[in-house]
Amino acid sequence: MRQAFLGLGSNVGDRLRNLRFAVHSLEEASVVVETASHVYLTEPLGYTSQDPFLNAVLEVSTELAPLDLLELCQRIEDRAGRERTVRWGPRTLDIDILLYEDTEASAKYLTIPHPRMLERRFVLEPLSELADELPDRTTIDRALAECPDTSSVEVAGTLVALGDIREVPLAFIGTGKVGSAMAGDLRERGFTVDAVYDADGDRCTEVASAVGARAAKSEADAAGAATVVFVTTQDSHIRSACERASGTGGDMLLKTFVHMSGSLSLESMDAARRKGALLASIHPVQTFADSVSAARDLPGSTFSMTGSAGARAFAMGLVEELAGRPVPLADEDKALYHSAAVIAGNLTNMLIGAAAEIYRGIGFEERQAVEAALPLARTTLSNIEKLGAAEALTGPLARGDLSTLEANLEALDATFPEAAAAYRAVSLLGLRLVIERGAVDDATILAMKALLEGGAGAEVEGAP
């Protein structure tokens, strides 16, 4: 795949829709749109007796040769109703090849880099969001400083929507813990929640009333007037909910669908993508036991963020409005990312539950068992926060205490085999931290590994 940068422009008709049409059409032609700049409102150059333009720049990956890419761009322009009557005149859609790899070439119909890009602030400003330098190693910042164009170029929004993101109409399909908390928090921060839908009619009415939205009659009804549609159902229902939301009416070129699943990829919303919608996923790295804790703990969380080109800038702004910490994530890494969250959160819960069960088995009362386990857990997490996981490690593994390790395993094998298996599995992982700390000699590490595996074993990864 080859990297290229394309400049988009439109000043006729629904300008944002025209830009979105370009993105959708490129992707339908197997050109991968990797990233997109913000959308800029710009003054016309050359022929000035025309309306202002919306401009943006895309970074794409393609297998097409430059002339083939040019031909595709012109076909998309024609499909958008482009008429080439006045040079630099009004147009529904303009797609220019700005850069193609490090290619420098000049042909009858195509010159790369674009011959006038250094004279156009409406090209350089959005390009500066995506690239640092030109093929000749001139930095984009330097090109901007030397650009003779003094016309107005201002950020107007993203490919999701123009203007203040708080004014973008939102819809929520699914009113579980996270969906209702998200809708409520965004409403409190001045966002416009237009509609809410849930198959549970009473729950739908309750949440809609709480956030000042209308209770929609169906997924499609909720999505109808919204620009951004949050699909916050259970993971197993996201695909079908998205299909129903996008199954009626025309295209969805001016809509963006967002799910908040930690494990599902964007492909789960493919029904909306096929109709032109942009896609995004934002997932809080947080655990929510109920709606109250979700509303309390959602703001300020770390959010993984995945999105199609254009949607990522909007998702970034949304997370920042929630006082969150956005972390970009590749769509193909979602399952692995979610497994880490399960280990850090859910498995920790299960292990503390197992510890409490052991305490109860030797005579602790329910409350005493919990009170014994929780301070250990809290202090451990506090130490990890201050020192890091390796330096915070304590206990027989960290000391290389073979006799205590053996005694622990014998006791668990006799009374709680499932906990014994968990002890062994987690401790084998923990040997990595022991090696990182460097406080236990190699022979003891190998002896602990053999004990945990139930016999002699291979070397621990990372051991000398």
Side-chain angles (χ1 to χ4, degrees):
M1 299 285 275
R2 304 297 184 88
Q3 180 195 55
F5 291 88
L6 306 180
L8 306 183
S10 174
N11 75 334
V12 174
D14 190 328
R15 297 170 296 173
L16 182 61
R17 181 186 177 85
N18 293 337
L19 300 188
R20 289 278 294 265
F21 176 79
V23 172
H24 181 62
S25 299
L26 287 165
E27 291 181 330
E28 288 296 288
S30 299
V31 174
V32 180
V33 181
E34 302 286 1
T35 55
S37 71
H38 282 82
V39 175
Y40 288 75
L41 181 66
T42 69
E43 293 178 348
L45 292 180
Y47 183 77
T48 57
S49 297
Q50 56 181 319
D51 292 331
F53 279 79
L54 289 183
N55 291 100
V57 169
L58 307 178
E59 177 189 2
V60 305
S61 296
T62 180
E63 294 180 349
L64 296 175
L67 287 175
D68 294 327
L69 181 59
L70 174 65
E71 182 181 350
L72 171 63
C73 292
Q74 290 178 339
R75 287 202 308 270
I76 295 171
E77 291 174 346
D78 291 342
R79 287 169 52 203
R82 168 77 180 269
E83 295 181 359
R84 295 171 173 82
T85 54
V86 179
R87 190 184 187 195
W88 297 335
R91 65 208 71 180
T92 52
L93 180 62
D94 190 24
I95 309 176
D96 288 331
I97 300 176
L98 305 175
L99 302 170
Y100 185 98
E101 295 280 293
D102 289 333
T103 300
E104 295 187 29
S106 180
K108 182 176 180 181
Y109 298 108
L110 179 64
T111 300
I112 301 174
H114 192 285
R116 289 176 295 279
M117 60 181 292
L118 297 181
E119 304 166 9
R120 295 175 171 179
R121 188 166 295 277
F122 66 80
V123 171
L124 293 174
E125 288 284 3
L127 181 61
S128 70
E129 296 183 25
L130 311 183
D132 295 324
E133 59 183 22
L134 301 171
D136 66 0
R137 306 307 176 212
T138 300
T139 66
I140 305 296
D141 287 343
R142 178 180 173 184
L144 272 168
E146 296 176 353
C147 180
D149 177 11
T150 59
S151 63
S152 174
V153 176
E154 299 178 354
V155 173
T158 68
L159 285 171
V160 171
L162 304 179
D164 188 342
I165 63 174
R166 292 180 183 83
E167 298 176 1
V168 175
L170 311 177
F172 283 82
I173 298 174
T175 58
K177 292 175 290 189
V178 175
S180 59
M182 187 75 167
D185 192 81
L186 289 175
R187 178 70 176 187
E188 287 182 5
R189 293 171 188 271
F191 282 74
T192 306
V193 182
D194 174 73
V196 168
Y197 173 76
D198 195 285
D200 182 335
D202 291 339
R203 175 67 176 165
C204 180
T205 300
E206 176 187 350
V207 174
S209 176
V211 301
R214 64 184 180 87
K217 299 176 181 178
S218 66
E219 292 94 339
D221 181 32
T227 297
V228 178
V229 182
F230 286 87
V231 185
T232 49
T233 63
Q234 294 181 4
D235 285 9
S236 59
H237 296 161
I238 287 176
R239 185 180 300 275
S240 58
C242 193
E243 289 172 350
R244 287 191 291 271
S246 54
T248 59
D251 65 55
M252 293 192 158
L253 280 172
L254 289 178
K255 294 189 183 299
T256 296
F257 278 63
V258 181
H259 75 53
M260 298 184 68
S261 165
S263 61
L264 292 184
S265 69
L266 298 177
E267 191 275 334
S268 60
M269 300 186 290
D270 201 52
R273 183 202 62 77
R274 291 194 302 269
K275 301 193 79 171
L278 296 178
L279 306 179
S281 170
I282 57 173
H283 176 256
V285 189
Q286 186 56 274
T287 180
F288 306 116
D290 51 45
S291 296
V292 173
S293 64
R296 180 191 66 230
D297 297 333
L298 184 68
S301 297
T302 293
F303 286 77
S304 69
M305 190 179 65
T306 307
S308 54
R312 282 194 291 272
F314 177 83
M316 177 81 75
L318 195 67
V319 169
E320 289 173 349
E321 287 290 335
L322 290 167
R325 299 178 296 276
V327 179
L329 181 69
D331 199 37
E332 59 268 23
D333 291 336
K334 288 296 290 287
L336 190 60
Y337 149 82
H338 192 253
S339 69
V342 169
I343 290 170
N346 307 137
L347 296 193
T348 299
N349 188 333
M350 297 173 197
L351 291 172
I352 291 174
E357 187 173 342
I358 293 169
Y359 284 136
R360 291 195 300 272
I362 57 176
F364 283 50
E365 294 180 359
E366 178 73 31
R367 188 66 237 165
Q368 290 175 320
V370 173
E371 288 174 347
L374 285 183
L376 276 172
R378 291 193 188 102
T379 303
T380 297
L381 292 175
S382 176
N383 289 341
I384 291 172
E385 185 175 24
K386 287 184 286 188
L387 304 174
E391 291 303 318
L393 187 66
T394 61
L397 216 65
R399 299 191 302 269
D401 187 344
L402 281 164
S403 60
T404 299
L405 188 61
E406 185 173 13
N408 286 173
L409 291 170
E410 286 179 358
L412 289 172
D413 283 335
T415 60
F416 197 168
E418 297 89 348
Y423 190 117
R424 285 186 167 88
V426 175
S427 295
L428 283 167
L429 281 175
L431 288 178
R432 298 169 182 263
L433 299 180
V434 175
I435 293 168
E436 185 179 337
R437 290 180 80 239
V440 178
D441 63 84
D442 298 346
T444 303
I445 290 173
L446 289 174
M448 290 193 294
K449 182 175 187 292
L451 181 60
L452 291 167
E453 290 180 335
E459 292 184 0
V460 184
E461 182 181 338

PDB file of all heavy atoms in Angstrom, residues 245-263:
ATOM      1  N   ALA A 245     -31.367   0.492  13.124  1.00  0.00           N
ATOM      2  CA  ALA A 245     -31.284   1.951  13.094  1.00  0.00           C
ATOM      3  C   ALA A 245     -31.000   2.474  11.696  1.00  0.00           C
ATOM      4  O   ALA A 245     -31.429   3.576  11.337  1.00  0.00           O
ATOM      5  CB  ALA A 245     -30.205   2.429  14.052  1.00  0.00           C
ATOM      6  N   SER A 246     -30.302   1.704  10.886  1.00  0.00           N
ATOM      7  CA  SER A 246     -29.906   2.175   9.556  1.00  0.00           C
ATOM      8  C   SER A 246     -30.653   1.468   8.436  1.00  0.00           C
ATOM      9  O   SER A 246     -30.339   1.656   7.264  1.00  0.00           O
ATOM     10  CB  SER A 246     -28.398   1.969   9.363  1.00  0.00           C
ATOM     11  OG  SER A 246     -28.034   0.630   9.600  1.00  0.00           O
ATOM     12  N   GLY A 247     -31.667   0.694   8.788  1.00  0.00           N
ATOM     13  CA  GLY A 247     -32.323  -0.134   7.783  1.00  0.00           C
ATOM     14  C   GLY A 247     -33.380   0.554   6.957  1.00  0.00           C
ATOM     15  O   GLY A 247     -33.839   0.003   5.954  1.00  0.00           O
ATOM     16  N   THR A 248     -33.810   1.724   7.351  1.00  0.00           N
ATOM     17  CA  THR A 248     -34.860   2.437   6.602  1.00  0.00           C
ATOM     18  C   THR A 248     -34.327   3.783   6.139  1.00  0.00           C
ATOM     19  O   THR A 248     -33.324   4.283   6.638  1.00  0.00           O
ATOM     20  CB  THR A 248     -36.104   2.654   7.483  1.00  0.00           C
ATOM     21  OG1 THR A 248     -35.730   3.417   8.633  1.00  0.00           O
ATOM     22  CG2 THR A 248     -36.697   1.324   7.929  1.00  0.00           C
ATOM     23  N   GLY A 249     -35.004   4.380   5.185  1.00  0.00           N
ATOM     24  CA  GLY A 249     -34.616   5.700   4.702  1.00  0.00           C
ATOM     25  C   GLY A 249     -33.445   5.641   3.750  1.00  0.00           C
ATOM     26  O   GLY A 249     -33.056   4.589   3.254  1.00  0.00           O
ATOM     27  N   GLY A 250     -32.868   6.812   3.487  1.00  0.00           N
ATOM     28  CA  GLY A 250     -31.794   6.921   2.511  1.00  0.00           C
ATOM     29  C   GLY A 250     -30.428   6.710   3.122  1.00  0.00           C
ATOM     30  O   GLY A 250     -30.264   5.958   4.090  1.00  0.00           O
ATOM     31  N   ASP A 251     -29.435   7.412   2.546  1.00  0.00           N
ATOM     32  CA  ASP A 251     -28.068   7.236   3.034  1.00  0.00           C
ATOM     33  C   ASP A 251     -27.882   7.909   4.393  1.00  0.00           C
ATOM     34  O   ASP A 251     -28.756   8.605   4.891  1.00  0.00           O
ATOM     35  CB  ASP A 251     -27.066   7.780   2.014  1.00  0.00           C
ATOM     36  CG  ASP A 251     -27.180   9.294   1.820  1.00  0.00           C
ATOM     37  OD1 ASP A 251     -27.094  10.018   2.823  1.00  0.00           O
ATOM     38  OD2 ASP A 251     -27.353   9.739   0.669  1.00  0.00           O
ATOM     39  N   MET A 252     -26.731   7.651   4.987  1.00  0.00           N
ATOM     40  CA  MET A 252     -26.410   8.211   6.301  1.00  0.00           C
ATOM     41  C   MET A 252     -25.103   8.993   6.245  1.00  0.00           C
ATOM     42  O   MET A 252     -24.282   8.943   7.155  1.00  0.00           O
ATOM     43  CB  MET A 252     -26.331   7.092   7.334  1.00  0.00           C
ATOM     44  CG  MET A 252     -27.674   6.437   7.600  1.00  0.00           C
ATOM     45  SD  MET A 252     -27.643   5.366   9.048  1.00  0.00           S
ATOM     46  CE  MET A 252     -29.391   5.331   9.452  1.00  0.00           C
ATOM     47  N   LEU A 253     -24.920   9.743   5.158  1.00  0.00           N
ATOM     48  CA  LEU A 253     -23.667  10.448   4.937  1.00  0.00           C
ATOM     49  C   LEU A 253     -23.390  11.522   5.982  1.00  0.00           C
ATOM     50  O   LEU A 253     -22.248  11.942   6.143  1.00  0.00           O
ATOM     51  CB  LEU A 253     -23.660  11.077   3.539  1.00  0.00           C
ATOM     52  CG  LEU A 253     -23.338  10.124   2.382  1.00  0.00           C
ATOM     53  CD1 LEU A 253     -23.549  10.813   1.047  1.00  0.00           C
ATOM     54  CD2 LEU A 253     -21.897   9.622   2.491  1.00  0.00           C
ATOM     55  N   LEU A 254     -24.398  11.977   6.680  1.00  0.00           N
ATOM     56  CA  LEU A 254     -24.183  13.021   7.680  1.00  0.00           C
ATOM     57  C   LEU A 254     -24.367  12.499   9.101  1.00  0.00           C
ATOM     58  O   LEU A 254     -24.559  13.276  10.032  1.00  0.00           O
ATOM     59  CB  LEU A 254     -25.118  14.211   7.421  1.00  0.00           C
ATOM     60  CG  LEU A 254     -24.764  15.036   6.184  1.00  0.00           C
ATOM     61  CD1 LEU A 254     -25.771  16.156   5.972  1.00  0.00           C
ATOM     62  CD2 LEU A 254     -23.359  15.609   6.286  1.00  0.00           C
ATOM     63  N   LYS A 255     -24.283  11.178   9.276  1.00  0.00           N
ATOM     64  CA  LYS A 255     -24.422  10.594  10.603  1.00  0.00           C
ATOM     65  C   LYS A 255     -23.127   9.891  11.017  1.00  0.00           C
ATOM     66  O   LYS A 255     -22.343   9.448  10.177  1.00  0.00           O
ATOM     67  CB  LYS A 255     -25.581   9.595  10.654  1.00  0.00           C
ATOM     68  CG  LYS A 255     -26.953  10.243  10.448  1.00  0.00           C
ATOM     69  CD  LYS A 255     -28.067   9.277  10.722  1.00  0.00           C
ATOM     70  CE  LYS A 255     -29.422   9.908  10.431  1.00  0.00           C
ATOM     71  NZ  LYS A 255     -29.689  11.095  11.274  1.00  0.00           N
ATOM     72  N   THR A 256     -22.935   9.807  12.325  1.00  0.00           N
ATOM     73  CA  THR A 256     -21.820   9.074  12.900  1.00  0.00           C
ATOM     74  C   THR A 256     -22.370   8.145  13.968  1.00  0.00           C
ATOM     75  O   THR A 256     -23.143   8.571  14.824  1.00  0.00           O
ATOM     76  CB  THR A 256     -20.783  10.029  13.510  1.00  0.00           C
ATOM     77  OG1 THR A 256     -20.227  10.839  12.467  1.00  0.00           O
ATOM     78  CG2 THR A 256     -19.660   9.273  14.199  1.00  0.00           C
ATOM     79  N   PHE A 257     -21.987   6.881  13.911  1.00  0.00           N
ATOM     80  CA  PHE A 257     -22.408   5.895  14.904  1.00  0.00           C
ATOM     81  C   PHE A 257     -21.238   5.607  15.846  1.00  0.00           C
ATOM     82  O   PHE A 257     -20.105   5.420  15.405  1.00  0.00           O
ATOM     83  CB  PHE A 257     -22.864   4.601  14.227  1.00  0.00           C
ATOM     84  CG  PHE A 257     -24.288   4.646  13.734  1.00  0.00           C
ATOM     85  CD1 PHE A 257     -24.677   5.547  12.757  1.00  0.00           C
ATOM     86  CD2 PHE A 257     -25.251   3.793  14.271  1.00  0.00           C
ATOM     87  CE1 PHE A 257     -25.980   5.596  12.297  1.00  0.00           C
ATOM     88  CE2 PHE A 257     -26.561   3.829  13.825  1.00  0.00           C
ATOM     89  CZ  PHE A 257     -26.938   4.730  12.834  1.00  0.00           C
ATOM     90  N   VAL A 258     -21.541   5.557  17.146  1.00  0.00           N
ATOM     91  CA  VAL A 258     -20.519   5.348  18.169  1.00  0.00           C
ATOM     92  C   VAL A 258     -20.976   4.229  19.100  1.00  0.00           C
ATOM     93  O   VAL A 258     -22.106   4.274  19.611  1.00  0.00           O
ATOM     94  CB  VAL A 258     -20.298   6.623  19.014  1.00  0.00           C
ATOM     95  CG1 VAL A 258     -19.221   6.399  20.064  1.00  0.00           C
ATOM     96  CG2 VAL A 258     -19.951   7.811  18.127  1.00  0.00           C
ATOM     97  N   HIS A 259     -20.137   3.207  19.302  1.00  0.00           N
ATOM     98  CA  HIS A 259     -20.449   2.253  20.361  1.00  0.00           C
ATOM     99  C   HIS A 259     -19.423   2.383  21.475  1.00  0.00           C
ATOM    100  O   HIS A 259     -18.350   2.977  21.290  1.00  0.00           O
ATOM    101  CB  HIS A 259     -20.591   0.818  19.846  1.00  0.00           C
ATOM    102  CG  HIS A 259     -19.335   0.097  19.482  1.00  0.00           C
ATOM    103  ND1 HIS A 259     -18.249  -0.032  20.340  1.00  0.00           N
ATOM    104  CD2 HIS A 259     -18.967  -0.587  18.359  1.00  0.00           C
ATOM    105  CE1 HIS A 259     -17.308  -0.744  19.780  1.00  0.00           C
ATOM    106  NE2 HIS A 259     -17.694  -1.075  18.561  1.00  0.00           N
ATOM    107  N   MET A 260     -19.752   1.860  22.650  1.00  0.00           N
ATOM    108  CA  MET A 260     -18.886   1.994  23.817  1.00  0.00           C
ATOM    109  C   MET A 260     -18.441   0.634  24.339  1.00  0.00           C
ATOM    110  O   MET A 260     -18.150   0.469  25.525  1.00  0.00           O
ATOM    111  CB  MET A 260     -19.587   2.825  24.900  1.00  0.00           C
ATOM    112  CG  MET A 260     -19.891   4.249  24.447  1.00  0.00           C
ATOM    113  SD  MET A 260     -20.603   5.299  25.732  1.00  0.00           S
ATOM    114  CE  MET A 260     -19.216   5.464  26.852  1.00  0.00           C
ATOM    115  N   SER A 261     -18.379  -0.345  23.446  1.00  0.00           N
ATOM    116  CA  SER A 261     -17.912  -1.677  23.806  1.00  0.00           C
ATOM    117  C   SER A 261     -16.395  -1.688  23.880  1.00  0.00           C
ATOM    118  O   SER A 261     -15.711  -1.094  23.046  1.00  0.00           O
ATOM    119  CB  SER A 261     -18.390  -2.702  22.770  1.00  0.00           C
ATOM    120  OG  SER A 261     -17.683  -3.920  22.905  1.00  0.00           O
ATOM    121  N   GLY A 262     -15.871  -2.412  24.863  1.00  0.00           N
ATOM    122  CA  GLY A 262     -14.431  -2.532  24.970  1.00  0.00           C
ATOM    123  C   GLY A 262     -13.843  -3.597  24.070  1.00  0.00           C
ATOM    124  O   GLY A 262     -12.656  -3.557  23.748  1.00  0.00           O
ATOM    125  N   SER A 263     -14.655  -4.568  23.652  1.00  0.00           N
ATOM    126  CA  SER A 263     -14.110  -5.702  22.916  1.00  0.00           C
ATOM    127  C   SER A 263     -14.480  -5.730  21.444  1.00  0.00           C
ATOM    128  O   SER A 263     -13.762  -6.323  20.629  1.00  0.00           O
ATOM    129  CB  SER A 263     -14.567  -7.015  23.564  1.00  0.00           C
ATOM    130  OG  SER A 263     -15.979  -7.128  23.541  1.00  0.00           O
TER     131      SER A 263
END
